[in-house]
Amino acid sequence: MLEIKNLTKRFGDFEAVKDISLCVPDGAFLVLLGPSGCGKSTLLRVLAGLEHASEGQIIFDDQIVSDGQKNWSVDPAKRNSGLVFQSYALWPHMSVRGNVEWPLKVMNMPAAERKTRTDEVLNLLDIHALADRYPNEISGGQQQRVAIARTIAPKPGVLLFDEPLSNLDAKLRVEMRTELMRLHRTTGATTVYVTHDQIEAMTMATHVAVINEGRVQQFGAPSDLIDHPETAFVATFVGTPPNNIIPVTKSDEGYALAGHQMPVEPPSDDCLAMYRAETLKLVNTKSSRSLPMELVEVSAIAGRTMVTGLSDTLRLTAIVDRAENIRIGDTIQFELPKAPQCWFAHSGERIG
């Protein structure tokens, strides 16, 4: 349904999106995941037609809608796509019904059909009771539902969401995630969703593209990103808590992890070792596989305890059953397993 070929977007000399290629099947829920400023919203705006590609092509349902080499792009209104903005962007002088009905009027849909379709999406989003109210008379969560209803009313083939839940409180975000997944199942529309929240990504997506500095670091199912991270960035950005990355260097006695001698066998003399939080242990005394750290955080997570230590710039997190008799500021010992889960080159690529 959606194909991106070697897409690049420049602003002057700055490349916000760098040679991205993706192929998304019909009915997929694709999440563009990455930190602020990584290029994910720019990519979404190019998909929507609000920005023109500098290079590459975008294809919706086997139809080219943008060609950067030819400096050609289909008008946003003719792409069979709908965009939900982060700010909702509702017409303040129109009622809820008027906002939802407006794109159908633009399509010149007959009045009877407009009313039927408007009632249908108002009921689908459970906002029919708000039909005669105006945006300033309803809550933020209700405004978001109106914005979504307005977008799906014309039945677009591709739905685009630009961090739509970031303005909502934590409880409402969880509820709206459920509603969006239900909506996706109901409409069957191919969906592209931008967020920096990896919990949203792991919860909602069928496919995830992790983006950093304008490039796709990894593309695949959420479970693939967790189980088989392809770069050190993915390993530390995806997962709750994220994986631990420790630099390994060659020393006179063998190899050192974060400056401490360790009995490890890395694939190269200068690389990064990845340890999952659940494989680290807290021990009372120093051992050949332990690292001393300052305790900086202790928190409960799913019936267990998450413990975080800091040493210079290195931050390690362990998931343990109990963490008794320790206080913030104490020096604690994190014991590493005999071997890491995987290795990365210092440039970030996975080794082996």
Side-chain angles (χ1 to χ4, degrees):
M1 179 62 186
L2 170 60
E3 188 173 3
I4 303 170
K5 294 183 177 180
N6 306 111
L7 188 70
T8 295
K9 173 59 183 175
R10 299 187 187 91
F11 296 96
D13 295 331
F14 174 68
E15 285 189 340
V17 175
K18 305 174 183 178
D19 194 28
I20 287 180
S21 295
L22 296 173
C23 189
V24 184
D26 188 19
F29 196 117
L30 168 66
V31 172
L32 304 179
L33 175 66
S36 298
C38 71
K40 57 188 185 296
S41 289
T42 299
L43 175 57
L44 191 81
R45 289 176 63 82
V46 176
L47 293 177
L50 302 181
E51 301 282 357
H52 294 302
S54 303
E55 294 179 17
Q57 291 182 333
I58 299 172
I59 302 169
F60 285 176
D61 199 18
D62 295 327
Q63 301 294 318
I64 297 175
V65 297
S66 178
D67 192 315
Q69 279 81 358
K70 296 179 181 179
N71 195 28
W72 174 84
S73 180
V74 172
D75 185 270
K78 299 178 180 179
R79 293 193 175 198
N80 190 27
S81 64
L83 174 62
V84 178
F85 295 95
Q86 181 178 350
S87 61
Y88 314 148
L90 300 178
W91 295 104
H93 64 288
M94 291 183 182
S95 66
V96 167
R97 176 179 292 278
N99 268 278
V100 175
E101 190 179 26
W102 176 251
L104 305 180
K105 287 184 177 180
V106 174
M107 294 170 58
N108 294 318
M109 182 181 288
E113 291 183 34
R114 286 203 311 268
K115 183 179 186 307
T116 299
R117 178 57 180 165
T118 301
D119 287 339
E120 182 181 349
V121 294
L122 289 174
N123 285 320
L124 180 63
L125 274 297
D126 196 25
I127 51 175
H128 201 283
L130 309 175
D132 296 326
R133 297 190 191 180
Y134 288 84
N136 66 340
E137 298 174 335
I138 58 179
S139 69
Q142 292 167 335
Q143 289 182 43
Q144 184 60 281
R145 289 173 185 265
V146 176
I148 294 170
R150 180 184 59 187
T151 301
I152 69 172
K155 298 183 179 180
V158 178
L159 285 174
L160 308 172
F161 292 89
D162 189 6
E163 302 198 54
L165 308 185
S166 60
N167 293 332
L168 305 180
D169 62 58
K171 181 176 182 296
L172 194 52
R173 280 202 304 271
V174 173
E175 294 174 357
M176 283 302 300
R177 285 206 303 263
T178 302
E179 290 300 313
L180 287 174
M181 288 189 287
R182 180 180 65 83
L183 179 67
H184 177 250
R185 293 193 301 270
T186 303
T187 63
T190 303
T191 300
V192 182
Y193 185 102
V194 165
T195 185
H196 62 268
D197 186 332
Q198 55 103 2
I199 295 178
E200 281 186 15
M202 297 299 106
T203 303
M204 302 171 69
T206 61
H207 300 71
V208 179
V210 181
I211 300 175
N212 188 39
E213 296 181 346
R215 296 188 184 277
V216 172
Q217 298 275 314
Q218 187 169 348
F219 173 63
S223 58
D224 290 339
L225 273 61
I226 296 291
D227 297 337
H228 305 287
E230 293 179 0
T231 68
F233 176 82
V234 173
T236 55
F237 193 78
V238 176
T240 305
N243 296 299
N244 299 292
I245 299 291
I246 305 177
V248 181
T249 55
K250 177 73 172 173
S251 68
D252 294 338
E253 293 80 18
Y255 292 96
L257 273 69
H260 295 265
Q261 291 299 128
M262 290 281 174
V264 295
E265 297 181 2
S268 67
D269 290 348
D270 192 17
C271 58
L272 303 170
M274 187 195 90
Y275 295 89
R276 299 191 186 279
E278 60 270 22
T279 67
L280 270 61
K281 297 179 180 179
L282 294 184
V283 293
N284 294 324
T285 58
K286 183 173 176 56
S287 71
S288 62
R289 291 186 285 111
S290 67
L291 291 174
M293 312 281 289
E294 178 189 354
L295 180 64
V296 293
E297 286 182 13
V298 178
S299 60
I301 178 171
R304 303 187 74 191
T305 302
M306 183 169 69
V307 180
T308 301
L310 188 66
S311 177
D312 294 328
T313 59
L314 179 65
R315 187 181 183 93
L316 296 183
T317 299
I319 298 292
V320 297
D321 290 328
R322 291 185 179 182
E324 298 177 343
N325 302 320
I326 57 175
R327 296 181 298 178
I328 301 299
D330 287 351
T331 297
I332 57 175
Q333 299 285 339
F334 282 89
E335 186 174 77
L336 308 179
K338 292 182 178 180
Q341 278 63 59
C342 65
W343 302 93
F344 297 98
H346 255 289
S347 55
E349 294 83 5
R350 185 163 177 159
I351 302 174

